[in-house]
Amino acid sequence: MATITVNGKAQEIELPVTVLELIQKNDVKQPEMVSVQVNEQFVNRQDFPSHVLNDGDEVEFLYFMGGGSR
C-alpha cells in the first residue's frame, strides 16, 4: 500500500494506479471538467490514462469556474 494526498487528505491506495483510475476511485463528479495537478504540476488530460502515481504524491482535483461581472 502507498499513501498519496488527494485534495489535502491522505489516502491509502494500492499501486500502480493512474490519474484516470484515481479519478474513478474517488467518484469525481464531472470528470470531463476536472483538471489534475500532481505535485503542483498540471497533467495533460490525454495523459490521465498513462500517468502513474507514486507513493507520497500530492494530487489536486481542480474545477475552473467562469464568471462575469455585472
Side-chain angles (χ1 to χ4, degrees), residues 19-38:
V19 169
L20 180 60
E21 291 168 333
L22 187 67
I23 288 170
Q24 294 166 343
K25 288 177 188 283
N26 280 274
D27 196 27
V28 171
K29 306 299 181 214
Q30 296 182 307
E32 68 281 356
M33 301 295 290
V34 72
S35 294
V36 178
Q37 277 187 326
V38 177

Side-chain angles (χ1 to χ4, degrees), residues 7-65:
N7 290 349
K9 295 182 181 177
Q11 274 188 22
E12 292 289 321
I13 194 152
E14 190 169 327
L15 297 180
V17 66
T18 66
V19 169
L20 180 60
E21 291 168 333
L22 187 67
I23 288 170
Q24 294 166 343
K25 288 177 188 283
N26 280 274
D27 196 27
V28 171
K29 306 299 181 214
Q30 296 182 307
E32 68 281 356
M33 301 295 290
V34 72
S35 294
V36 178
Q37 277 187 326
V38 177
N39 301 323
E40 299 183 2
Q41 299 294 316
F42 281 98
V43 177
N44 289 323
R45 181 168 303 282
Q46 68 263 19
D47 295 333
F48 285 7
S50 61
H51 188 106
V52 177
L53 299 169
N54 299 301
D55 188 26
D57 279 349
E58 294 185 17
V59 180
E60 294 288 331
F61 297 134
L62 305 168
Y63 293 92
F64 294 96
M65 303 291 176

